[in-house]
Amino acid sequence: MRKWVFIINNWNSTSLEVKKKYCRKGIPQQFRRKVWRLFLLGTKGAKGKAAERGKPYSYYSELPLEDTQLEGVIERDLDRTFPTHRKFDSGANGEGQQALRRMLRAYANYNRGVGYCQGMGFLAATLLLQINEEERAFWCFCSLMEEEEYNLKSLYEPGFPMLQCYFSVFEGLMKKTNKKVYHHVREVHGVESSYYATHWFLTLFTYYLNFGLISRIWDMFLCEGWKIIFRFALALLKIDQQRLLGAATETELLMVLKDIQENKEPAKMLDVSLKIKFTTKYMNKLKKSYLDSQQRKK
Amino acid sequence: MSSNPTPAKKQLLKIIILGDSGVGKTSLMHQFVSKKFDSRYKATIGADFLTKELTVGDQVVSLQIWDTAGQERFQSLGSAFYRGADACVLVYDVTVQESFAHVGSWMEEFSIQAGRRDSVLIGNKTDLEDRRQVPTRTAQMWCDKQNAEGDKNDKTEMKYFETSARENTGVEEAFMAVAAAALARKASQPAPVPPPSTVNLNQNQPGNAGGSNNTNSGCSC
């Protein structure tokens, strides 16, 4: 506890290694809001971010949408984003859905090239729940989408360029770290990761997993970046390896993959995911080789 | 008729559900497969799937139903899901004119990716009759037009169904019709030719079910 107070008070001078070590242990809930904000907004906070990005939140949230089709898409998704959560279940005029509507519209205005895409609501809602103050939550969301180390916007852009790249990286890592499963899933049954991992990557696991586990994953993701997401994706396959290998047909395999994220023990998930070994260098190599091959196609 | 000495092997059919976001694709799939309705489904991200075993005539069929995200942007991820699909269920919401207007482009996208296949058109949410924007006749005429324009040698016929996933009306009929149509086509073309790419369906060839699969349970509204 005292360590966290020290880290928070000395954020800029604390090394990434120290942050990483403590984030892996889990940020205590009473500090989580503050630490997530520090990762996403830096020490200057929401005001600093707003200044950096040019215009205040109210400007972006109140501006009419340029692409009017998005209006309907956002509206239809509001009560389909964590529909059973207390904060969002009281209808389109409930406080939670109103805040979510404004955040999504604000981002669509902030980055018109990305606009709104289904899945983004789960990220915005997760931040709204954890940060608990709309304007700050919005700037955190904006950082998650825009900042180099997270760069979710590159996944959501039309054509999903980075999502496609991450499917390829993920399959490469699967091949390296769990050959048996790779062979069975990818080679024998031809099941591509896009069939089952799309929402893992687009919503950073928030689509299915419970909040306790999501918080632990995000603690590490905000500190270490995408490597953590790949680790957890690989851990899901690893934990259910026997069920996957036992599936005799494509249909059986798909049914195992369909609910593979359900009923996962957080302690087990954390333990398995951190034991999966691959280097950042190798991950980056896979990424580069995919991007190079795309470049050549052009 | 059913003089097959050995029982026909299980046939795998892959059906894909397409249509705008919020028209009720997920609800239709769950209603058909599990006979339940929940007004609190999450928006589908990417795709989801369920399976159901059913008997069409004396053929046991394992139906793999793919539910897809409705936002247009997801079409670029679609090719993986469309590949190897035997038929498609096009869905619009009878209370949203726009969703009907987009049906044509969903069908076109499907045909490009999967080749010309059987499909049915579903107008969903008939429980909201007082808010209806698309008359039954308009949708029926659209299907008739598709059927008239189709290849003369290709007996693909698009049937129209109206459903309420909430009240479970018409759902079974629509899915059974698409399954029967896809099965009939498969039986008449024993070697399935998916578009060039990896062949991943682990399929068993039917022990030639002969004329047994003409159980056309469709209604022509």
Side-chain angles (χ1 to χ4, degrees):
Chain A
M1 291 296 172
R2 251 190 280 148
K3 187 71 194 176
W4 273 108
V5 175
F6 180 83
I7 293 173
I8 290 167
N9 289 332
N10 298 278
W11 186 256
N12 289 334
S13 56
T14 304
S15 73
L16 191 63
E17 278 312 302
V18 170
K19 288 174 186 163
K20 182 172 153 182
K21 178 177 155 200
Y22 285 92
C23 282
R24 285 197 173 192
K25 291 180 183 166
I27 305 169
Q29 184 58 32
Q30 69 265 41
F31 297 125
R32 189 167 268 137
R33 180 177 304 172
K34 180 79 187 160
V35 176
W36 283 21
R37 265 167 29 203
L38 283 165
F39 274 123
L40 290 163
L41 304 176
T43 48
K44 287 184 188 150
K47 279 203 182 105
K49 265 297 163 210
E52 208 179 285
R53 299 203 182 277
K55 303 238 168 45
Y57 173 53
S58 58
Y59 170 83
Y60 294 115
S61 65
E62 286 162 20
L63 202 65
L65 292 176
E66 191 185 46
D67 177 353
T68 50
Q69 269 210 4
L70 286 185
E71 200 121 354
V73 183
I74 291 176
E75 284 306 309
R76 282 190 291 274
D77 281 355
L78 292 176
D79 58 1
R80 299 193 295 161
T81 306
F82 299 133
T84 54
H85 194 285
R86 213 160 13 99
K87 195 173 174 92
F88 300 105
D89 71 356
S90 49
N93 292 314
E95 203 193 312
Q97 288 196 27
Q98 286 197 40
L100 188 58
R101 173 189 293 120
R102 285 188 294 264
M103 283 173 72
L104 295 173
R105 292 175 63 106
Y107 184 75
N109 281 320
Y110 177 80
N111 188 334
R112 291 181 182 170
V114 178
Y116 170 76
C117 177
Q118 296 190 295
M120 279 163 53
F122 290 87
L123 300 173
T126 300
L127 287 165
L128 197 54
L129 285 168
Q130 196 62 256
I131 305 295
N132 205 23
E133 196 275 308
E134 185 182 330
E135 187 168 344
R136 279 184 175 144
F138 171 75
W139 290 114
C140 285
F141 176 58
C142 203
S143 294
L144 192 68
M145 296 298 289
E146 302 283 324
E147 304 279 333
E148 180 82 39
E149 59 268 56
Y150 313 120
N151 208 0
L152 264 298
K153 72 171 179 206
S154 62
L155 276 80
Y156 280 106
E157 274 167 10
F160 302 98
M162 228 31 187
L163 177 64
Q164 311 267 20
C165 173
Y166 286 170
F167 287 147
S168 165
V169 172
F170 173 60
E171 287 180 5
L173 293 172
M174 197 199 312
K175 189 174 182 180
K176 174 137 185 117
T177 61
N178 198 337
K179 245 197 182 93
K180 261 195 254 170
V181 166
Y182 177 83
H183 175 70
H184 189 71
V185 173
R186 192 68 186 84
E187 295 176 339
V188 175
H189 290 295
V191 171
E192 299 173 22
S193 51
S194 63
Y195 291 14
Y196 56 89
T198 301
H199 58 78
W200 295 353
F201 297 149
L202 285 181
T203 74
L204 300 173
F205 293 114
T206 58
Y207 192 75
Y208 267 114
L209 298 180
N210 66 59
F211 278 100
L213 186 50
I214 291 168
S215 300
R216 294 295 302 275
I217 298 175
W218 280 44
D219 287 349
M220 292 184 272
F221 169 70
L222 293 176
C223 183
E224 300 175 52
W226 275 91
K227 193 171 176 185
I228 288 297
I229 302 300
F230 291 124
R231 280 182 182 283
F232 276 89
L234 293 166
L236 284 170
L237 301 184
K238 178 81 188 165
I239 291 171
D240 270 322
Q241 178 167 331
Q242 290 317 318
R243 283 174 67 214
L244 289 169
L245 296 176
T249 64
E250 187 208 28
T251 303
E252 273 180 50
L253 185 60
L254 287 172
M255 290 314 285
V256 175
L257 287 165
K258 177 187 164 64
D259 58 18
I260 201 163
Q261 55 275 316
E262 270 160 45
N263 304 319
K264 287 288 171 284
E265 189 69 43
K268 172 98 176 170
M269 275 285 286
L270 291 157
D271 184 50
V272 172
S273 66
L274 295 177
K275 279 185 185 142
I276 292 171
K277 297 284 176 226
F278 60 90
T279 62
T280 306
K281 196 174 157 193
Y282 186 68
M283 178 181 79
N284 290 337
K285 192 179 135 196
L286 290 169
K287 186 170 162 184
K288 188 172 181 302
S289 90
Y290 174 84
L291 295 175
D292 287 349
S293 73
Q294 290 305 104
Q295 201 63 39
R296 277 197 300 275
K297 274 186 203 164
K298 281 179 193 163
Chain B
M1 280 294 268
S2 52
S3 55
N4 266 349
T6 51
K9 273 187 191 161
K10 209 194 289 177
Q11 175 70 268
L12 177 71
L13 289 179
K14 184 172 166 182
I15 309 281
I16 183 162
I17 312 177
L18 300 174
D20 278 9
S21 90
V23 299
K25 297 181 292 296
T26 305
S27 297
L28 284 165
M29 176 174 81
H30 281 274
Q31 184 57 268
F32 176 63
V33 174
S34 344
K35 295 278 166 277
K36 56 184 188 194
F37 178 81
D38 186 336
S39 56
R40 300 186 300 177
Y41 289 119
K42 283 176 274 193
T44 306
I45 309 298
D48 193 12
F49 35 77
L50 281 178
T51 61
K52 186 178 171 100
E53 287 216 350
L54 39 102
T55 312
V56 182
D58 61 1
Q59 172 74 63
V60 181
V61 173
S62 172
L63 205 58
Q64 207 183 79
I65 306 173
W66 288 71
D67 174 27
T68 58
Q71 195 180 355
E72 207 182 339
R73 190 175 302 184
F74 280 96
Q75 284 186 359
S76 59
L77 280 185
S79 57
F81 310 128
Y82 298 171
R83 196 177 301 145
D86 296 298
C88 124
V89 175
L90 296 164
V91 187
Y92 77 94
D93 175 346
V94 295
T95 71
V96 181
Q97 174 67 42
E98 208 186 7
S99 69
F100 177 65
H102 292 158
V103 162
S105 74
W106 283 109
M107 191 183 69
E108 201 171 306
E109 182 68 19
F110 178 72
S111 307
I112 292 168
Q113 304 279 359
R116 182 137 170 88
R117 291 282 186 275
D118 295 279
S119 37
V120 297
L121 177 66
I122 291 182
N124 188 37
K125 305 197 189 178
T126 55
D127 49 293
L128 304 174
E129 192 58 44
D130 53 329
R131 282 162 49 190
R132 183 191 276 271
Q133 289 185 358
V134 183
T136 304
R137 217 171 66 91
T138 309
Q140 183 61 59
M141 277 166 59
W142 187 84
C143 285
D144 293 345
K145 189 160 168 271
Q146 303 306 315
N147 294 336
E149 282 172 3
D151 185 344
K152 297 258 165 3
N153 301 318
D154 188 336
K155 278 173 278 171
T156 306
E157 190 201 345
M158 189 183 291
K159 290 204 172 80
Y160 178 57
F161 293 87
E162 293 203 339
T163 62
S164 163
R166 181 185 293 271
E167 292 170 351
N168 193 20
T169 49
V171 179
E172 181 87 13
E173 291 83 346
F175 278 94
M176 287 306 282
V178 79
L183 190 63
R185 172 177 295 257
K186 250 192 168 162
S188 66
Q189 299 172 343
V193 188
S197 170
T198 49
V199 178
N200 54 28
L201 293 177
N202 208 18
Q203 54 218 336
N204 304 315
Q205 286 307 318
N208 199 347
S212 60
N213 44 31
N214 290 329
T215 41
N216 204 334
S217 59
C219 85
S220 46
C221 298

